[in-house]
Amino acid sequence: MSRRLAFVVATLSFAAFATTAVVAQSDVAKQREALMKEYGKATKAVGGMLRGATPFDLATVQSTLDLYAKNAKTLPTLFPEGSGEGTDALPAIWEKKDEFEALFTKLAADSVAARAAITDEASFKANFPGVIRTCGTCHDSFRKKS
């Protein structure tokens, strides 16, 4: 009887571990999706400024760049191996992990540099597009096309 009990305990323990791993991977996917949605919302506001559809607002630009820099430091940690299933994340993220993480490092550095350089609408229009090009590079290489 003790072998059967040991087998049952081992099976239940493995099932609990597997369930915890799936939940944990789901949680990181939700966390990174939330941060990316923050990016999208912030980018939409400054995108209107770039197109001339909304008035230039330095405080909004600065807070957007601060958000980019902050989230760029957190996001690479939210892509553990095996967390791409059911998401828009391409396998290239894990195949080219160094390149992927380097884009976040570049985004953070570019955001900090742009924040220092942008003082008015002209400097915004000259500096901000370079920051969001890094976002596009990452999306082109590491995100499924919608």
Side-chain angles (χ1 to χ4, degrees):
M1 188 67 157
S2 65
R3 282 186 187 199
R4 182 176 291 167
L5 180 60
F7 176 76
V8 169
V9 169
T11 301
L12 291 174
S13 296
F14 177 76
F17 172 77
T19 301
T20 301
V22 168
V23 169
Q25 289 182 5
S26 172
D27 287 347
V28 296
K30 287 179 183 176
Q31 289 172 358
R32 68 183 182 230
E33 183 178 327
L35 295 181
M36 293 294 191
K37 284 184 179 190
E38 285 181 9
Y39 274 170
K41 184 178 179 184
T43 303
K44 186 175 183 177
V46 292
M49 290 179 219
L50 280 173
R51 291 186 309 277
T54 57
F56 173 74
D57 178 47
L58 182 60
T60 299
V61 172
Q62 290 173 333
S63 67
T64 297
L65 291 166
D66 290 343
L67 176 72
Y68 286 177
K70 178 182 74 98
N71 286 1
K73 293 175 183 171
T74 304
L75 276 161
T77 67
L78 299 177
F79 286 88
E81 186 74 38
S83 67
E85 193 170 320
T87 71
D88 288 340
L90 290 174
I93 291 171
W94 298 278
E95 295 163 1
K96 300 176 183 177
K97 189 76 165 169
D98 291 343
E99 181 182 329
F100 178 72
E101 290 178 352
L103 284 171
F104 282 111
T105 301
K106 179 174 176 20
L107 178 61
D110 289 353
S111 297
V112 170
R115 192 183 195 291
I118 295 171
T119 57
D120 57 17
E121 188 170 8
S123 59
F124 163 67
K125 288 187 176 186
N127 288 280
F128 199 85
V131 176
I132 58 175
R133 268 193 289 279
T134 301
C135 298
T137 299
C138 192
H139 282 216
D140 290 345
S141 303
F142 299 105
R143 182 178 184 219
K144 291 177 189 168
K145 308 293 183 243
S146 317

